[in-house]
């Protein structure tokens, strides 16, 4: 039985969302029921997803654009400006998402498939929080959330880690709604995702494939590395997505998670406390080499 997932993404800024979407669509273990976009220009993000689908020859996965501003509408949007470069042409302005808001799409899919849908969240949590607020019945009807977000800082590598992670920081109020919802959650945070970088040798392997899809991914990776002024970056979102395919790459620990929304210097911080009765699993260890080999293999596969 294929696992039914919806991916909620802020693709276009960090390249790892595009890699995660490609991984999902190249994985026979998954049935992607839809892809929703969140944060900033969600129509442009939806067009990026639609272009990726087109490059893979897929035309039966619905894409829905979602909420543009954080829940309380008081926080600035981080939009570096390279979103769409390297993938969208003038012609792609005609690519149209479905005529349904992402929040309604998520609610309807969950309610039509009770207990079956896994939400894979790889961006800020605004759409998911809005869906929970609009239709609280999804709490009992969604299977689980697999989330790239947060940082626990309670494991061995804590001293090397930042205090705050982007997806939570961009909309901490939404993250709080989601963490407090009682939905079963697996949080894949910076504790593990910073251990899975790709570098120039991985890029070369993707380049060697030479399809329109892989050439586009290579361009997107190069644009992101130019922005970072680096020649490597972490595969945060693909690692979270891989938990739906091969959970054995990650070790987890049950923990309570509190999101800081008000501290002067700590807005967006996730405070993580081990608690064996919690509905939240937090990733605490990763088979980095095994995961990267798997990821590059799937991205480079011809089918
Ligand atoms: O902190 C990493 C997260 O921020 C990832 O989802 C990445 O795509 C960026 O959005
Ligand atoms: Ca992302």
């Amino acid at each position: 039985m294929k696992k039914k997932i919806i991916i909620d993404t802020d693709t276009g800024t960090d390249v790892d969302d595009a890699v995660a979407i490609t991984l999902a669509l190249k994985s026979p273990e998954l049935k992607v029921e839809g892809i929703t976009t969140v944060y900033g220009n969600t129509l442009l993000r939806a067009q990026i997803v639609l272009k990726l689908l087109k490059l893979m020859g897929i035309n039966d996965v619905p894409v829905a654009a979602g909420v543009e501003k954080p829940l309380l509408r008081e926080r600035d949007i981080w939009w570096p400006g390279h979103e769409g470069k390297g993938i969208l042409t003038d012609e792609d302005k005609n690519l149209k998402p479905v005529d349904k808001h992402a929040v309604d799409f998520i609610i309807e899919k969950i309610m039509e498939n009770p207990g079956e849908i896994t939400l894979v969240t790889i961006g800020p949590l605004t759409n998911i929080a809005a869906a929970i607020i609009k239709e609280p019945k999804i709490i009992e009807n969604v299977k689980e959330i697999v989330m790239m977000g947060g940082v626990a800082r309670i494991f061995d590598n804590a001293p090397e880690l930042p205090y705050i992670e982007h997806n939570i920081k961009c909309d901490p109020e939404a993250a709080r709604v989601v963490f407090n919802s009682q939905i079963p959650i697996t949080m894949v945070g910076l504790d593990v995702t910073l251990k899975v970088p790709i570098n120039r040798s991985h890029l070369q392997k993707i380049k060697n494939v030479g399809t329109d899809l892989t050439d586009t991914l290579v361009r997107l990776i190069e644009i992101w590395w130019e922005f970072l002024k680096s020649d490597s970056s972490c595969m945060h979102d693909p690692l979270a997505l891989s938990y739906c395919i091969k959970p054995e790459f990650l070790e987890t620990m049950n923990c309570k998670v509190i999101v800081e929304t008000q501290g002067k210097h700590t807005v967006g911080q996730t405070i993580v406390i081990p608690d064996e009765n919690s509905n939240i699993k937090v990733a605490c260890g990763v088979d980095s080499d095994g995961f990267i080999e798997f990821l590059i293999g799937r991205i480079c596969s011809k089918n």
Side-chain angles (χ1 to χ4, degrees):
M1 263 271 276
K2 288 178 185 261
K3 194 175 189 128
K4 293 183 181 178
I5 68 165
I6 295 175
I7 303 173
D8 188 60
T9 174
D10 61 345
T11 194
T13 308
D14 188 331
V15 70
D16 66 334
D17 295 73
V19 179
I21 292 165
T22 307
L23 172 62
L25 292 160
K26 280 178 167 276
S27 291
E29 300 87 347
L30 302 179
K31 174 151 185 343
V32 181
E33 294 281 341
I35 302 178
T36 53
T37 60
V38 69
Y39 193 70
N41 186 341
T42 53
L43 173 60
L44 183 97
R45 296 199 196 278
Q47 287 171 330
I48 294 172
V49 177
L50 286 160
K51 183 64 181 283
L52 278 172
L53 294 175
K54 197 170 158 190
L55 288 165
M56 283 183 262
I58 295 171
N59 56 18
D60 58 354
V61 172
V63 178
V67 185
E68 300 199 338
K69 294 186 177 167
L71 210 57
L72 298 190
R73 310 177 75 83
E74 289 167 352
R75 302 189 185 279
D76 294 338
I77 303 282
W78 187 62
W79 191 265
H82 59 263
E83 290 81 357
K85 288 196 184 127
I87 182 162
L88 294 181
T89 60
D90 284 349
E91 188 185 304
D92 298 326
K93 305 252 158 67
N94 300 324
L95 290 169
K96 294 239 172 341
V98 292
D99 196 14
K100 184 172 288 189
H101 193 278
V103 171
D104 295 317
F105 179 88
I106 290 167
I107 293 170
E108 285 179 26
K109 271 284 172 206
I110 292 173
M111 297 311 289
E112 282 163 10
N113 298 272
E116 291 186 6
I117 300 284
T118 296
L119 292 174
V120 183
T121 67
I122 56 175
L125 289 152
T126 321
N127 282 341
I128 312 303
I132 291 170
I133 293 165
K134 187 166 183 189
E135 180 46 277
K137 285 192 195 122
I138 67 168
I139 293 170
E140 282 81 44
N141 286 283
V142 70
K143 184 171 183 210
E144 58 178 338
I145 293 176
V146 174
M147 170 196 302
M148 191 287 130
V151 51
R153 298 191 85 258
I154 58 171
F155 309 117
D156 288 352
N157 58 337
E160 308 146 25
L161 296 173
Y163 282 82
I164 295 168
E165 187 279 325
H166 176 80
N167 290 342
I168 307 296
K169 180 185 165 194
C170 289
D171 197 345
E173 288 79 14
R176 197 160 188 176
V177 169
V178 174
F179 277 114
N180 288 353
S181 68
Q182 296 302 317
I183 294 171
I185 296 174
T186 301
M187 173 182 129
V188 182
L190 297 179
D191 317 83
V192 286
T193 67
L194 287 174
K195 293 183 174 177
V196 290
I198 56 162
N199 56 31
R200 291 252 165 233
S201 84
H202 301 116
L203 188 66
Q204 189 57 48
K205 285 189 181 152
I206 305 173
K207 253 184 203 170
N208 292 345
V209 180
T211 61
D212 287 348
L213 172 68
T214 53
D215 288 351
T216 304
L217 288 176
V218 167
R219 275 199 304 280
L220 295 178
I221 292 169
E222 284 172 338
I223 289 168
W224 179 238
W225 288 1
E226 199 179 305
F227 173 77
L228 292 180
K229 304 210 181 327
S230 172
D231 53 7
S232 77
S233 64
C234 290
M235 293 292 103
H236 310 276
D237 296 343
L239 180 61
L241 193 286
S242 79
Y243 189 71
C244 301
I245 309 167
K246 288 196 178 283
E248 59 269 28
F249 290 136
L250 291 170
E251 280 167 57
T252 62
M253 184 192 276
N254 282 54
C255 295
K256 193 157 69 181
V257 179
I258 301 161
V259 180
E260 182 61 86
T261 53
Q262 288 186 332
K264 191 170 168 203
H265 304 289
T266 55
V267 169
Q269 189 174 343
T270 37
I271 297 155
V272 174
I273 304 158
D275 175 354
E276 61 186 24
N277 298 316
S278 174
N279 57 308
I280 302 168
K281 288 186 203 159
V282 175
C284 56
V286 57
D287 169 6
S288 310
D289 292 347
F291 164 71
I292 289 290
E293 194 187 333
F294 164 77
L295 175 66
I296 300 297
R298 286 264 165 123
I299 295 300
C300 294
S301 73
K302 294 270 180 188
N303 47 356

